[in-house]
Amino acid sequence: MQSSPTPRSPLSPSSSLSRRGLLAAAGAAGAAGLLGAGPAAAAATAPSAPSGGRGSAALVVRNASVFTGTAHREPVRAVAVGRDGRILATGTDAALRRYVGRDTEVVDAGGNTVMSGVHDGHVHPLAAGERSLSPSLDGAETTREELLEILTGFLTDTGGPAAEPDGWLVVEDWNPVGLLPTGTEPHHSVLDALPTRRPIALVGGDGHNLWANRRALDIAGITAATPDPVGGKVVRDAAGKPTGVLKDDAQELVKRHVPEHTPAERLAACAKVLELAAAAGVTTMMDALVGRHELELYRALAAAGRLPQRIVPAIRLSAEQAKDPAGSLAYARGLRREFEGVGLRFRMIKVFLDGVIEYPAQTAALLEPYLDGHGKPTANRGELYTSAADYGRLSAAFNRAGWQMHAHGLGDRAVRAALDGYAYARRVTGHRDARNAVAHLQLVDPADLRRFAQLGVAACMQLQWATRDVWTQEALLPYIGPRRHRWMYPARSLEKAGARLTGGSDWPVDALQVWNQLRTAIDRQGASGAGDLYREAEGLSRDSALRMHTSGTAWQLRQEELTGTVEAGKAADLVVLDRDVTRCPVADISGTGVRMTLVGGRVVHDADSASGRAASARAARAAAAASRPDAYATVHGGGKGRHHACGH
């Protein structure tokens, strides 16, 4: 099964491509002029075909710098796409002229890159859609007074007096490390000062923190006597009373009381962000946190014909479920049976092993304790939500049944627990190609680098975070010290140790910034970093960065026989870019625009169509956000308005 659209002609008759500058119609008489008449420097990688009729291609892209992602080193300048949505051939312009028939569409790439679509190996697209329905703080750093001013505006914009006293105000993309002056800790009393009786919840952009006012805590029944749920924490003051901050699974104590948006609202919002992803060049996504709610949304999107990407859902298991392998396997199989007709590719299980590392959350599991900010060790080593033994038994049960595991492992202790669990599963099942993964890998102990290759574990990294900014410097360096800080996001060290690198965005934890993400993997600075983060030691080559986000992630998702490289027989999941990302200055990669995106040969984004122009504009705004915003002006000004979220 795969989530490509219902089979149809690769180019819709209603497509604007044949009427605009990007795509020129090619009749038999004009084919030679469009494709070039010079001698073929290299043959096409498929048998010749007649110049018209059934043997011709549906689409030929010419005058391109094709990044094939294969070991083939001869220059490839053209790609022919068959009427079955697969790549017919690659080669020179002249060699592929034979595939142009009377009804073949021809794209002139203008010397720019054509490559596999981006495979996002860790993303939350439906969460991005649902977040876009609420006002956003855009991750800004603010003083108490600035924050209250913004939230007062949100109260007005979301109903004003008519919403009193019971209308929830839920605000997305709160920055848990962004309350100024640095080191100021959030408390419900700050939110209680707002001129309202409404319940308020600020949802952390990191997905691991929530800040509630007293009214929201009362509705949720959270008191000093409330126990910490498994996998979560109710933050308390020195007197043992809740501060209003809830970590990880404790967030659900409040979230379960928030009224849901209507199905129609959710469907429209999620369809819009999937269009945004297509405009950014994403053709495959592994949704890294899926339950019944998300699967019902995917079913509705598929029924409406608004599911443009291939989707691999990772069914999320709680810390409690992780202790019950048999019950968890039955749960996952039940969801697969119920939703298998949607066209999703069920094979992945997601487990959170720890939280996040930055101050003040500090729930990532570390081998050595956090520091107090002045170099002295504390008693805190973070939270390991599932033990290595429990995770090993769970992994063995799912691997034996043909499923893959995907662990959130951010701190070095969580990474080690995941690897220990996978080692156990490998011993007891005998499987040598389980393709389990650890995601994030913000801190990896050097002793564990070689274990990824030894165990065949995918290193799924979100390298848009690998830059010098408030998150890696002020909120982290003083709390782990320079020795450990050196091993932040050790991409090249993992690669040198033989690990399979795969890429993901973790959107909407950050704005969708696909090409800045690739650029940052190379220069470890990105579009708005204050400097590079160990570029000499951990920066990747351009080729490695492109491969990890295409063929590397295709391998992680067990679809390398279908996608991830540009070669004959593969599905035509392709992007046509507005520059040559294989040759342009590295800094210019961040601003890459996508002229066209195809999935299975079908155009799912055309930058020259009306809808494509709108999606491209949203993608450009998301890319302009570059790294996690950290300025008050991002929310309060900048022409975006208070409701800026996901490019709206």
Side-chain angles (χ1 to χ4, degrees), residues 153-211:
F154 287 160
L155 288 167
T156 300
D157 293 346
T158 57
E164 296 288 346
D166 299 322
W168 280 80
L169 173 64
V170 178
V171 180
E172 299 289 347
D173 301 313
W174 161 56
N175 183 347
V177 302
L179 200 56
L180 301 175
T182 300
T184 303
E185 297 191 9
H187 192 276
H188 65 75
S189 60
V190 176
L191 304 180
D192 296 343
L194 287 163
T196 183
R197 296 171 57 204
R198 294 168 61 180
I200 298 173
L202 308 188
V203 181
D206 60 1
H208 293 265
N209 291 272
L210 181 146
W211 181 13

Side-chain angles (χ1 to χ4, degrees), residues 82-413:
R83 299 176 191 279
D84 62 353
R86 292 187 176 258
I87 297 170
L88 274 175
T90 65
T92 64
D93 289 346
L96 265 63
R97 185 174 63 189
R98 69 192 71 173
Y99 292 96
V100 178
R102 285 178 291 274
D103 59 349
T104 300
E105 303 285 4
V106 178
V107 173
D108 184 345
N112 299 319
T113 295
V114 171
M115 58 181 281
S116 161
V118 172
H119 292 50
D120 196 322
H122 187 105
V123 63
H124 311 281
L126 301 188
E130 297 198 72
R131 282 192 188 190
S132 72
L133 293 169
S134 298
S136 172
L137 283 167
D138 280 331
E141 287 186 299
T142 66
T143 65
R144 177 183 183 278
E145 291 72 24
E146 290 167 344
L147 177 64
L148 292 177
E149 181 184 348
I150 296 168
L151 295 179
T152 299
F154 287 160
L155 288 167
T156 300
D157 293 346
T158 57
E164 296 288 346
D166 299 322
W168 280 80
L169 173 64
V170 178
V171 180
E172 299 289 347
D173 301 313
W174 161 56
N175 183 347
V177 302
L179 200 56
L180 301 175
T182 300
T184 303
E185 297 191 9
H187 192 276
H188 65 75
S189 60
V190 176
L191 304 180
D192 296 343
L194 287 163
T196 183
R197 296 171 57 204
R198 294 168 61 180
I200 298 173
L202 308 188
V203 181
D206 60 1
H208 293 265
N209 291 272
L210 181 146
W211 181 13
N213 69 349
R214 167 55 69 185
R215 180 75 196 290
L217 294 176
D218 290 343
I219 290 172
I222 297 174
T223 69
T226 301
D228 290 339
V230 175
K233 184 176 183 179
V234 177
V235 179
R236 306 167 199 273
D237 61 21
K241 296 180 180 179
T243 66
V245 176
L246 306 173
K247 297 183 179 183
D248 294 308
D249 284 358
Q251 297 176 80
E252 291 303 317
L253 299 175
V254 164
K255 284 184 175 181
R256 66 174 62 134
H257 296 279
V258 177
E260 292 187 349
H261 294 285
T262 68
E265 289 172 333
R266 294 199 302 269
L267 177 65
C270 291
K272 199 167 187 177
V273 299
L274 291 176
E275 291 174 2
L276 173 64
V282 179
T283 55
T284 289
M285 292 188 283
M286 194 207 80
D287 189 324
L289 202 159
V290 169
R292 176 175 298 279
H293 172 79
E294 289 78 15
L295 292 173
E296 288 172 346
L297 257 175
Y298 277 124
R299 180 159 57 191
L301 287 162
R306 305 190 73 178
L307 191 58
Q309 288 89 6
R310 302 180 193 274
I311 303 292
V312 178
I315 297 173
R316 190 265 170 106
L317 299 180
S318 69
E320 275 295 314
Q321 288 174 302
K323 297 177 181 178
D324 180 12
S328 293
L329 184 57
Y331 166 72
R333 283 171 165 168
L335 287 177
R336 180 172 61 183
R337 283 193 301 269
E338 184 176 352
F339 292 96
E340 61 185 354
V342 175
L344 307 176
R345 302 175 62 236
F346 286 92
R347 62 176 51 142
M348 198 75 65
I349 296 298
K350 164 70 176 292
V351 176
F352 284 93
L353 295 187
D354 68 346
V356 292
I357 196 169
E358 292 84 10
Y359 178 88
Q362 297 183 334
T363 51
L366 303 187
L367 292 169
E368 299 176 19
Y370 288 91
L371 305 180
D372 63 0
H374 303 285
K376 292 184 63 177
T378 68
N380 178 27
R381 291 201 302 147
E383 307 284 343
L384 189 62
Y385 299 136
T386 298
S387 70
D390 283 342
Y391 192 64
R393 287 187 286 269
L394 185 75
S395 298
F398 276 98
N399 289 168
R400 189 178 286 115
W403 294 70
Q404 298 167 257
M405 302 298 294
H406 190 89
H408 169 112
L410 200 144
D412 51 10
R413 183 159 60 107

